[in-house]
Amino acid sequence: MRTAPAGERCARGTTQWHLALVALVILAFALRAVSLERQSLWYDEGVSAYLTTLSWDALTRWTADDIQPPLYYYLLKLWCAAAGHSEGALRWPSVLFSTLTVPLAAVLGRRLFSRRAGLIAGLLFALSPLYIWYAQEARNYAMLLFLTLLSSTLLYSAWVEKGARPAWGFWLAYALVTSAALYTHYFAWFMLLFHGLFVLLVWRIERRPAKALLHPAASWMLVGLSFLPWLPFLLTRYRVDESYWAGTLKVGEALRKIALSFTLGETVLEGIGWRLTAGFLVLTAVCVLTLIIAGGNRKHFVLFLVLYLVVPVAGVLALALRSPKFTPRYVMPSSAALWLIFAGGIEAFWRRRLRVGRPLAAVLTLLAGVCLLYPLAGFAYSDHNLYTDPAFTKPDFRGATRYLAAHREDNEAVILVSGHMYPIFDYYLPATERLLLPPDRILSTEHVLNQGIGQTLETALRGKAGVWVVRWQDEVVDPNGWLDLFLEQAGERLPVEAQFWHVRLEHFRLDPSRPFPTQPPIAEHMETNFAGLAQLVGWDQPAPDIYRLYWQALQPIADDLMVSIRLLDEQGLLWGQEDRRPAAYLYPTMRWKPGELTFGQGTLPAQPGTPPGSYTLEIRVYRAGQGT
């Protein structure tokens, strides 16, 4: 029997590897391109679409004041000039960037471990529910994942594979790609932190000469110089971001969400998802331990992947401690390390089985199979939900605006609450006059609706026969319900015979001949002072079993005040009690502004069997956690 020469076998293996990789790329592209327009664009995508319609100067000024830098929007604007502004056209760049991560992951897996590990990494990237989800979103996250993965691949190639030998081409490419990542998303800085730690640790472990740091230092200097013109905007945005409530990040909860997102994406309910994620965490630990053992004296790849997974996540969480605005997609680039760890662990199990006895070989084969099949089974479950389960859909602005366009009369106004949603509203209903409440470009927790909107509504709705209200994130800007309070005084609420995922429509009939109320309907005024912090200024009873209490802060309030509302009969016997925040739950007293009027509405706390008669409503105010 003739044995093929080593060179021929190598060439055949290379060809087979490339053919398998092409098949993975085709699979990844198909999964990302299928049903691309099935879901509505949501708000963030509406902003992307809106920015493509601006001039280059206006786009740059917008992003200078926004939470994202401009590179993705520049590319999207160029793309849309050729491909149009349909939902699919807006999402195609994300499809392409996400598809390109598959061969890139395979190349990095091959460099870290082996050809087989590279293909396993490519398979996991191709099927990842997280990557498919963001491949079908007109935002910068797929592009960020690609750029940070490419940047990390170049770093590993230049610093580990090239070592101390001159590799200016790799380092220059690394600097350019890293700069592009920073201009795509600000949190790419935390990937740069991981790169710096990896370089310094390898330099220290291998005791390389100081001059070896010249290449990475020069690259980082180029990156810093390239970002210098945009640095003031980053620092300003960090100081003034008001798009989330002040508070403290719940780190444990954030870590659970990250683990769930990395493994099963956005299309699994948290209850079942967390149980499945526990298995992923165990297998991750097993793979890391196996790589440490299998690496021998060469453990650069373990250090590289662990830092890749941990450092950016830790950096983003540390930043979020100041303001608890956090979503797992902010740290999505680190998820790439997870699947490379799995690919390396599977390869290590498979190789070591050839060097041990039969019983242990069977165990290692089983471990390799579990580490591969468990993620694939989880992916299949989550991907099935993504394509078939309507519970995992983006906010349905398309459906809501279509319903509005079909049912709105000519003499009816439109109000957007929160007003910052206008880019996505205008995408689906261009040239439609609308009132923005509040009139903000970016969501702000500081701009909360109050009684002052009465005058605004009176002017905007004068002579109108009706009004439609589109609600999204209204719990942030109108937590107490001032808009409904005025509209229910002025007109009649009409039924809306449809519901839309995460977007609400309300419809009111107005009487154009009737004066529009500009003040709240306080039935009885009072000035009951509670320790100089706040006062109860009045109440009304819009329905027999509904009460409404009006409050005013007398000074800034640092405490979370609570109110105990007690229903007492003429003998002083208690027939019901409700303890709650004085206003809406999402508007605690720490957010009240001195002199501002606010209100809280609730149902009279009458126990079942409460007899008819005269009752007194007793109100007590206390600090949360300190009782009455």
Side-chain angles (χ1 to χ4, degrees):
M1 180 181 294
R2 176 181 176 272
T3 302
E8 182 180 332
R9 292 197 304 271
C10 182
R12 186 185 306 142
T14 300
T15 300
Q16 292 173 347
W17 189 85
H18 283 99
L19 288 175
L21 182 57
V22 169
L24 289 177
V25 171
I26 293 173
L27 172 64
F29 178 79
L31 290 173
R32 287 152 176 77
V34 68
S35 302
L36 192 58
E37 296 186 352
R38 177 176 59 90
Q39 295 194 48
S40 165
L41 298 182
W42 74 294
Y43 165 73
D44 281 12
E45 295 179 286
V47 171
S48 299
Y50 174 74
L51 293 181
T52 64
T53 66
L54 300 181
S55 67
W56 293 101
D57 180 62
L59 190 161
T60 303
R61 283 187 278 108
W62 174 292
T63 53
D65 292 333
D66 196 15
I67 59 175
Q68 309 288 3
L71 181 58
Y72 167 77
Y73 303 113
Y74 288 160
L75 294 178
L76 187 63
K77 180 176 175 64
L78 290 172
W79 170 268
C80 289
H85 289 78
S86 68
E87 293 164 325
L90 287 163
R91 288 168 172 165
W92 269 113
S94 294
V95 171
L96 298 176
F97 277 116
S98 184
T99 302
L100 288 174
T101 61
V102 172
L104 185 55
V107 169
L108 181 54
R110 179 176 176 173
R111 290 184 173 181
L112 289 169
F113 306 112
S114 68
R115 290 178 177 176
R116 180 168 45 237
L119 291 178
I120 293 171
L123 176 64
L124 295 174
F125 271 67
L127 299 178
S128 166
L130 180 67
Y131 300 160
I132 295 174
W133 177 271
Y134 285 103
Q136 296 191 334
E137 184 164 299
R139 293 296 286 170
N140 52 2
Y141 297 104
M143 179 177 171
L144 176 67
L145 176 66
F146 171 77
L147 289 175
T148 53
L149 183 60
L150 178 56
S151 172
S152 301
T153 302
L154 290 169
L155 175 80
Y156 189 85
S157 298
W159 187 238
V160 176
E161 294 182 343
K162 299 296 181 182
R165 291 176 292 171
W168 284 109
F170 274 95
W171 287 111
L172 179 59
Y174 165 76
L176 293 174
V177 173
T178 303
S179 297
L182 294 177
Y183 274 101
T184 300
H185 199 290
Y186 290 135
F187 286 168
W189 280 103
F190 295 110
M191 297 299 294
L192 194 60
L193 176 61
F194 138 58
H195 293 169
L197 285 174
F198 176 69
V199 166
L200 291 175
L201 287 173
V202 171
W203 173 74
R204 183 68 180 270
I205 292 170
E206 293 189 346
R207 298 181 179 179
R208 296 187 186 183
K211 66 179 182 180
L213 293 173
L214 177 63
H215 298 85
S219 296
W220 294 331
M221 186 176 297
L222 284 175
V223 171
L225 289 174
S226 71
F227 196 80
L228 196 59
W230 203 260
L231 184 61
F233 304 123
L234 166 61
L235 297 177
T236 299
R237 194 66 221 158
Y238 175 73
R239 289 194 298 267
V240 303
D241 189 4
E242 298 175 349
S243 60
Y244 204 80
W245 298 295
T248 303
L249 179 71
K250 298 178 181 178
V251 177
E253 180 179 332
L255 288 172
R256 287 195 299 273
K257 289 182 177 180
I258 291 170
L260 179 59
S261 177
F262 278 15
T263 55
L264 297 169
E266 307 288 343
T267 49
V268 175
L269 295 176
E270 190 166 339
I272 187 172
W274 180 242
R275 290 194 292 273
L276 294 173
T277 299
F280 279 100
L281 295 178
V282 171
L283 293 178
T284 302
V286 170
C287 287
V288 170
L289 182 61
T290 302
L291 289 174
I292 292 174
I293 296 172
N297 294 326
R298 181 180 170 272
K299 296 188 176 68
H300 292 142
F301 57 84
V302 181
L303 179 64
F304 177 79
L305 292 175
V306 170
L307 291 176
Y308 196 163
L309 181 63
V310 172
V311 171
V313 172
V316 173
L317 291 179
L319 182 67
L321 290 174
R322 170 183 172 269
S323 173
K325 180 180 181 180
F326 176 79
T327 176
R329 65 176 178 266
Y330 293 161
V331 294
M332 187 174 75
S334 283
S335 64
L338 177 64
W339 306 124
L340 290 165
I341 288 172
F342 266 76
I346 294 168
E347 173 66 11
F349 287 133
W350 193 257
R351 285 196 172 193
R352 288 184 69 83
R353 89 191 208 290
L354 301 176
R355 301 196 296 267
V356 297
R358 183 173 297 178
L360 185 55
V363 173
L364 293 176
T365 302
L366 177 63
L367 285 172
V370 170
C371 288
L372 179 60
L373 295 178
Y374 190 88
L376 294 182
F379 289 177
Y381 172 69
S382 188
D383 288 339
H384 178 267
N385 289 343
L386 188 154
Y387 294 115
T388 63
D389 193 334
F392 301 103
T393 54
K394 297 176 172 68
D396 189 12
F397 286 97
R398 178 173 60 196
T401 50
R402 284 179 177 175
Y403 185 93
L404 179 60
H407 293 83
R408 173 176 169 257
E409 302 292 339
D410 290 339
N411 196 31
E412 291 186 319
V414 176
I415 299 175
L416 305 185
V417 186
S418 169
H420 79 288
M421 78 169 94
Y422 71 88
I424 184 63
F425 180 85
D426 291 351
Y427 176 84
Y428 285 114
L429 281 183
T432 300
E433 185 178 357
R434 66 280 189 281
L435 174 64
L436 310 182
L437 293 178
D440 290 335
R441 201 192 71 182
I442 299 174
L443 179 67
S444 173
T445 59
E446 296 298 314
H447 299 168
V448 177
L449 301 186
N450 54 39
Q451 72 176 102
I453 67 165
Q455 189 61 53
T456 301
L457 293 171
E458 193 277 333
T459 302
L461 302 181
R462 188 177 299 148
K464 297 293 184 180
V467 57
W468 288 84
V469 180
V470 185
R471 290 187 176 273
W472 182 73
Q473 291 195 332
D474 53 296
E475 71 279 2
V476 177
V477 298
D478 190 22
N480 299 304
W482 278 105
L483 180 59
D484 278 353
L485 183 143
F486 282 112
L487 291 180
E488 287 171 353
Q489 287 186 81
E492 175 189 0
R493 183 187 292 269
L494 300 177
V496 176
E497 297 176 351
Q499 292 183 334
F500 309 96
W501 194 252
H502 290 305
V503 181
R504 289 187 293 132
L505 288 182
E506 294 178 344
H507 188 200
F508 294 86
R509 179 188 292 122
L510 303 177
D511 183 354
S513 64
R514 179 179 170 187
F516 195 94
T518 59
Q519 297 296 324
I522 300 178
E524 182 173 336
H525 293 266
M526 59 184 66
E527 293 184 2
T528 305
N529 189 305
F530 290 91
L533 297 174
Q535 64 179 355
L536 181 64
V537 298
W539 66 274
D540 74 88
Q541 195 170 357
D545 60 339
I546 301 295
Y547 67 86
R548 201 152 45 202
L549 303 177
Y550 296 87
W551 302 87
Q552 187 177 48
L554 300 176
Q555 59 176 291
I557 303 174
D559 297 310
D560 185 9
L561 299 184
M562 303 291 289
V563 60
S564 180
I565 300 169
R566 303 179 174 200
L567 190 65
L568 306 175
D569 64 14
E570 293 177 316
Q571 286 73 44
L573 296 177
L574 180 66
W575 286 94
Q577 177 177 335
E578 179 186 27
D579 286 69
R580 49 166 292 171
R581 284 175 170 166
Y585 179 79
L586 293 178
Y587 200 59
T589 52
M590 299 90 72
R591 297 182 63 195
W592 292 11
K593 297 177 176 62
E596 176 188 58
L597 186 69
T598 188
F599 72 90
Q601 179 172 299
T603 303
L604 290 174
Q607 299 174 358
T610 301
S614 298
Y615 290 85
T616 299
L617 206 61
E618 181 184 83
I619 299 168
R620 302 185 182 188
V621 175
Y622 62 96
R623 291 177 174 85
Q626 296 185 12
T628 57

